[in-house]
Amino acid sequence: MRVVVSGGSGFLGSHLCEALLSRGDSVCCLDNHSSGRPVNIAHLRHDARFAFEAWDVTERFSVSGDVDAVVHLASPASPVDYQRFPLETLAAGSKGTENMLRLAERHSARFVLASTSEVYGDPEVHPQDEEYWGHVNPIGPRSVYDEAKRFAEAVTMAYRRSLAADVGIVRIFNTYGPRMRSYDGRVVSSFIRQALRGEPLTVFGDGSQTRSFCYVDDMVRGLIAMIDSDRPGPFNLGNPNERTVRELAELIAVITGSHCGLRFLPLPVDDPVRRRPVVARAREALGWQPRVSLEEGLRNTVDWFAAQSRTPLRPSHQSPVGRPS
Ligand SMILES: NC(=O)c1ccc[n+]([C@@H]2O[C@H](COP(=O)([O-])OP(=O)(O)OC[C@H]3O[C@@H](n4cnc5c(N)ncnc54)[C@H](O)[C@@H]3O)[C@@H](O)[C@H]2O)c1
């Protein structure tokens, strides 16, 4: 297959490009490097089946030759990014999604949209399945991201209904792994950065809010299963193993050997209280389910962060769980 991946220099996108190349596909990666990094794809550049285009998806894009699938990942994705670039976030979800849909349509290619669990907002039902319509504050500080993705889903379904386009929507829940940025404002990268620097781990609220964390390799398998499917979804992709944020902090403290404890700060506005995907639909339709445990995924991620920062990693068996301050 020849696959166009928008946002391919980012965290998820670079892992997806790598996995597609390793199964024999060709990849055309588009990115404006607003939050993605050239280093994420540097090791792919030597491969003749890999092409990179510096491109902003809010501009129309065309490419010669056949295209079999277009995967649209390009968007500011972490809270620090979308709150710093609110208008760009809305544009990536609206104009960007439509430009990528048009590209797929011109090539009669499959289109896969990377949507998000944030379309459920601060959910009133738990756990969240795809029937739930969500509870989003349309004018809150997170709304630029949540509503951009909701629009992206709507325009994707409109292309399916009005043009019989071959589309698929996945709603991605919190995903972590190597190549996350240390300062992207996400909880896993923040805790690991703080632990490796010997700082207290910053927990917002009392840490009783929950998240479900999916390792990047599992997520990439899910994305590829959606590329290969002809089903529209939407399908939740995530790990249903729900943990409190405090549990996550304590686990990272054990893995890194951090003794610095936890520091509690007020909860941000509109922070979701509970998050857990129901993945029965993805299991049934795509034959997909996550395989990597949180402990194993976090160890891989901590090792990667430690190698980046050249911080020596202390063995976990010597380390007590961090105590709250
Ligand atoms: N990682 C997660 O936990 C998670 C959860 C839900 C949804 N998602 C979705 O998955 C996708 C990838 O997320 P990620 O975690 O890899 O984030 P990321 O920031 O690492 O990757 C996003 C990429 O898109 C690029 N980009 C942004 N705007 C662009 C534009 N206008 N034109 C071209 N490129 C642009 C960035 O430079 C970056 O490389 C996003 O659409 C995000 O909303 C991710």
Side-chain angles (χ1 to χ4, degrees):
M1 289 175 80
R2 182 165 181 235
V3 185
V4 174
V5 179
S6 80
S9 305
F11 160 54
L12 284 181
S14 61
H15 285 280
L16 176 64
C17 291
E18 199 175 280
L20 290 168
L21 289 170
S22 64
R23 74 171 193 166
D25 293 344
S26 300
V27 172
C28 174
C29 164
L30 310 183
D31 207 295
N32 68 357
H33 285 159
S34 51
S35 60
R37 294 182 296 190
V39 68
N40 287 345
I41 52 164
H43 61 298
L44 307 178
R45 294 270 197 155
H46 69 275
D47 193 323
R49 289 169 300 127
F50 182 77
F52 174 77
E53 291 272 354
W55 198 265
D56 192 307
V57 291
T58 60
E59 303 293 331
R60 284 198 187 198
F61 180 76
S62 57
V63 62
S64 55
D66 291 341
V67 173
D68 301 293
V70 176
V71 187
H72 181 38
L73 294 159
S75 169
S78 77
V80 286
D81 292 329
Y82 62 72
Q83 288 178 21
R84 191 157 155 237
F85 298 111
L87 300 178
E88 291 81 353
T89 303
L90 286 162
S94 53
K95 278 186 239 166
T97 303
E98 198 159 5
N99 285 335
M100 292 298 101
L101 276 161
R102 282 201 188 109
L103 176 70
E105 191 56 18
R106 281 197 300 275
H107 290 271
S108 303
R110 169 125 173 113
F111 173 82
V112 173
L113 173 68
S115 184
T116 171
S117 56
E118 302 288 341
V119 299
Y120 300 125
D122 187 4
E124 294 156 305
V125 302
H126 190 77
Q128 295 82 51
D129 68 20
E130 295 87 346
E131 294 296 312
Y132 181 50
W133 291 355
H135 181 226
V136 172
N137 174 357
I139 57 165
R142 305 172 74 102
S143 64
V144 290
Y145 182 65
D146 303 4
E147 298 292 11
K149 291 289 185 179
R150 288 169 70 95
F151 178 89
E153 289 199 10
V155 71
T156 299
M157 290 310 289
Y159 265 69
R160 175 176 160 85
R161 290 193 187 100
S162 55
L163 300 171
D166 175 14
V167 302
I169 297 172
V170 288
R171 293 180 177 155
I172 299 173
F173 283 64
N174 289 52
T175 303
Y176 68 97
R179 297 191 202 138
M180 295 182 90
R181 287 171 299 140
S182 332
Y183 285 94
D184 65 6
R186 290 167 170 166
V187 65
V188 172
S189 42
S190 301
F191 284 166
I192 293 177
R193 184 195 73 237
Q194 291 168 332
L196 292 178
R197 289 180 165 210
E199 298 165 4
L201 277 56
T202 307
V203 173
F204 293 103
D206 63 3
S208 62
Q209 70 274 32
T210 67
R211 297 290 183 272
S212 305
F213 300 99
C214 185
Y215 189 60
V216 65
D217 290 0
D218 283 333
M219 185 55 61
V220 165
R221 277 192 305 104
L223 287 169
I224 290 180
M226 194 55 162
I227 293 170
D228 292 343
S229 168
D230 60 0
R231 302 278 295 268
F235 299 132
N236 287 338
L237 292 182
N239 194 320
N241 179 3
E242 183 182 6
R243 305 284 181 109
T244 67
V245 167
R246 185 176 174 141
E247 279 171 345
L248 176 76
E250 292 174 346
L251 185 53
I252 289 176
V254 169
I255 291 171
T256 54
S258 165
H259 298 273
C260 296
L262 312 182
R263 189 160 68 101
F264 293 88
L265 292 179
L267 261 186
V269 177
D270 294 339
D271 198 51
V273 176
R274 302 187 78 185
R275 270 287 161 70
R276 173 151 65 95
V278 176
V279 294
R281 277 198 190 180
R283 195 165 43 231
E284 174 269 318
L286 306 177
W288 175 86
Q289 61 181 14
R291 294 180 192 148
V292 181
S293 70
L294 183 60
E295 289 73 7
E296 182 188 348
L298 284 178
R299 281 183 201 284
N300 294 343
T301 311
V302 166
D303 285 349
W304 183 84
F305 270 86
Q308 299 299 301
S309 62
R310 300 180 199 286
T311 308
L313 196 57
R314 279 161 289 177
S316 59
H317 62 267
Q318 294 176 358
S319 318
V321 171
R323 296 258 82 85
S325 52

